[in-house]
Amino acid sequence: MRERLSAVRTEVAKAVVGQDAAVSGLLVALLCGGHVLMEGVPGVAKTLLVRTLAGALDVGTRRVQFTPDLMPGDITGSMVVDAGGGDLRFREGPLFTQLLLADEINRTPPKTQSALLEAMEEGQVSVDGTSRSLPVPFMVAATQNPVEYEGTYPLPEAQLDRFLLKVVLGVPERAQEMEVLRRHAAGFDPTDVAGAGVRAVAGPADVAAARAAVGRVQVAPEVVGYVVDVARATREAPSLSLGVSPRGATALLRTSRAWAWLNGRDYVTPDDVKALAHATLAHRLGLRPEAELEGTDVAQVLASALASVPVPR
């Protein structure tokens, strides 16, 4: 199981260069049953990464381009009149898939953004008073650009908190960028991941079994206390107006267990907690206005909070 899921990294690398941290984040979220917010400037392979991951996992995937005129029913589905019998029937929206790419989620109004909340939290959608379950596994990989804020709608804190992880895709290093260009010169087509040699090496059954295995990863009381102390340290940070909630602390515990399992261990160490702290917690924090004016960065505050907590031995 672990070998098959680890092989997913190799398959993704056939099409995507230099985004290993993002691939790890997507795998951790998948094992935890969570969702991922991907941030990066245009052209760093956010869409390609999700499409390639779906190909390597043999799961269904759909892409929704979020725009200002997108309505909730456009993603959840709606009741339509059957042309044959004249009866009302439900027409599924793009949410009914296993891996949903929500492209530029911050370009659609809050009304449509909130339509994702029930799906992300409950794994179902409610239309016309009836709840309908989504496929399993189900994961939302939403993208947003850190530039061109004009005409965008920042995600509300309640929805940000429902993303298990936030991964930042940076511009690749020079050698990696040269490899990207070399592949394109050799005929690589980003819309054809199968043509790049990507094949399915794991499936939904492997994901379900891996989730069960992650649930058996042991967490010592000292490590639980460490996670709680990290969360409480953010609430006491003077530069923050919003610290990590108990939901955030629970999320950090879940991602640490998945990371430990992916690394071949059946127990969590403080290093696992540190490795996942920034991706799991940073987007849940809110800076005070005066701290923003001083140029303080959330990552710096979180790093200070982590450094202030004694590491259990």
Side-chain angles (χ1 to χ4, degrees), residues 239 288-297 300:
S239 299
R288 295 187 183 278
E290 54 270 26
E292 288 189 51
L293 291 173
E294 293 172 359
T296 304
D297 184 67
Q300 296 172 345

Side-chain angles (χ1 to χ4, degrees), residues 9-292:
R9 301 173 189 264
T10 304
E11 295 302 309
V12 173
K14 293 178 180 178
V16 181
V17 178
Q19 300 296 355
D20 295 338
V23 176
S24 297
L26 286 167
L27 285 175
V28 166
L30 190 68
L31 294 179
C32 294
H35 311 282
V36 180
L37 181 62
M38 303 165 61
E39 184 176 276
V41 297
V44 291
K46 299 187 294 294
T47 302
L48 177 61
L49 174 56
V50 176
R51 187 185 299 123
T52 308
L53 180 67
L57 286 172
D58 192 24
V59 296
T61 182
R62 291 185 181 179
R63 175 180 178 271
V64 178
Q65 181 65 50
F66 280 72
T67 57
D69 60 347
L70 197 70
M71 299 297 292
D74 295 332
I75 60 173
T76 61
S78 57
M79 303 300 295
V80 298
V81 178
D82 192 333
D87 297 328
L88 281 175
R89 64 179 181 84
F90 179 68
R91 183 177 62 190
E92 294 182 348
L95 270 180
F96 286 84
T97 188
Q98 292 171 307
L99 180 53
L100 177 72
L101 173 59
D103 219 348
E104 295 192 285
I105 189 175
N106 58 333
R107 291 204 174 275
T108 202
K111 184 176 182 179
T112 304
Q113 290 176 3
S114 64
L116 283 173
L117 290 179
E118 182 184 12
M120 293 170 63
E121 191 71 17
E122 307 293 340
Q124 65 180 24
V125 298
S126 296
V127 178
D128 199 32
T130 302
S131 296
R132 295 173 172 84
S133 298
L134 296 171
V136 178
F138 172 71
M139 184 172 77
V140 174
T143 73
Q144 66 176 12
N145 297 326
V147 294
E148 296 180 341
Y149 284 112
E150 185 176 352
T152 62
Y153 303 84
L155 293 171
E157 284 79 1
Q159 189 165 342
L160 276 174
D161 201 38
R162 281 167 172 77
F163 282 103
L164 183 70
L165 295 169
K166 178 182 177 181
V167 297
V168 178
L169 285 78
V171 176
E173 297 178 358
R174 185 177 186 275
Q176 295 169 338
E177 193 167 1
M178 289 181 65
E179 174 63 17
V180 171
L181 268 63
R182 188 193 66 77
R183 292 186 182 187
H184 278 264
F188 172 68
D189 182 2
T191 63
D192 181 19
V193 295
V198 177
R199 59 188 180 89
V201 293
D206 296 307
V207 174
R211 286 180 177 180
V214 169
R216 295 191 292 270
V217 173
Q218 300 298 310
V219 187
E222 293 82 4
V223 176
V224 172
Y226 181 60
V227 172
V228 171
D229 290 342
V230 168
R232 296 180 69 86
T234 65
R235 299 171 204 159
E236 298 168 1
S239 299
L240 297 178
S241 60
L242 180 66
V244 174
S245 68
R247 178 190 290 165
T250 302
L252 181 56
L253 185 64
R254 290 165 58 199
T255 57
S256 300
R257 294 175 83 181
W259 185 245
W261 183 83
L262 280 172
N263 283 280
R265 283 180 280 102
D266 60 356
Y267 59 91
V268 178
T269 69
D271 286 338
D272 296 324
V273 177
K274 289 181 179 180
L276 273 297
H278 282 269
T280 308
L281 303 181
H283 62 288
R284 306 172 193 269
L285 304 176
L287 279 175
R288 295 187 183 278
E290 54 270 26
E292 288 189 51

